[in-house]
Amino acid sequence: MSYNYHIVANFPSNRNYKGTLKMYNASGSLVFGPVDALGRGSNRDENNGDHTQWKLKYADIPTGEYETTVVGPNTPESTYGPYKRVWLNHALNGNAKIAEANGRNEIMIHGGDPDDNPSNTWYPLHPTLGCIRLSNSNQYTLINAIAAAGSGTGLITINNI
């Protein structure tokens, strides 16, 4: 399949630390990033308080590839930010495919309120419920870069570094 854009997210295997996200257009030119991104999930009870269990909903973002599309903003704005989101709507391979088969869905790239504790290793980004977090300003710029690339279907590759 041909994609209008390709997002690449590189995260440390210890998701308590930020990684980077960048985007290329269909011609392979870098059109966005790299910017700070966070792929850390939450320590919810559903995960036995362990965000590292990437097969489980709400945990760290799994590696692999997904097809993506842009969807509208969501509420509350404090959680998702004010802008459209990128939906990782179909896992193609890697741990992403395993996690999807295990029931993980609704994984997004979105903004949201910053973390308020500068001593956190992920500051100023804030952990999510299993998504990729960007700052609101970077989310806005990413959505505009996708629009400039023709919107439609894209590809994201998520790597451990």
Side-chain angles (χ1 to χ4, degrees), residues 61-137:
I61 190 84
T63 57
E65 292 185 317
Y66 297 83
E67 288 182 342
T68 64
T69 191
V70 173
V71 296
N74 198 5
T75 56
E77 189 174 301
S78 59
T79 299
Y80 300 103
Y83 306 112
K84 293 178 179 179
R85 300 162 295 143
V86 179
W87 179 28
L88 286 58
N89 63 340
H90 176 63
L92 299 172
N93 59 49
N95 290 342
K97 192 80 170 163
I98 296 167
E100 183 178 77
N102 200 49
R104 286 212 56 184
N105 56 17
E106 298 184 18
I107 299 173
M108 306 277 173
I109 302 171
H110 60 78
D113 286 355
D115 193 88
D116 58 5
N117 185 349
S119 66
N120 286 332
T121 54
W122 51 76
Y123 180 84
L125 300 176
H126 193 278
T128 68
L129 296 178
C131 297
I132 296 174
R133 168 100 59 201
L134 300 180
S135 70
N136 285 333
S137 62

Side-chain angles (χ1 to χ4, degrees), residues 21 23 31-33 35 83-84 86 134-149:
L21 185 138
M23 188 191 105
V31 295
F32 173 75
V35 298
Y83 306 112
K84 293 178 179 179
V86 179
L134 300 180
S135 70
N136 285 333
S137 62
N138 285 335
Q139 182 69 15
Y140 175 80
T141 305
L142 173 64
I143 294 301
N144 286 333
I146 291 171

Side-chain angles (χ1 to χ4, degrees), residues 3 49 94:
Y3 297 103

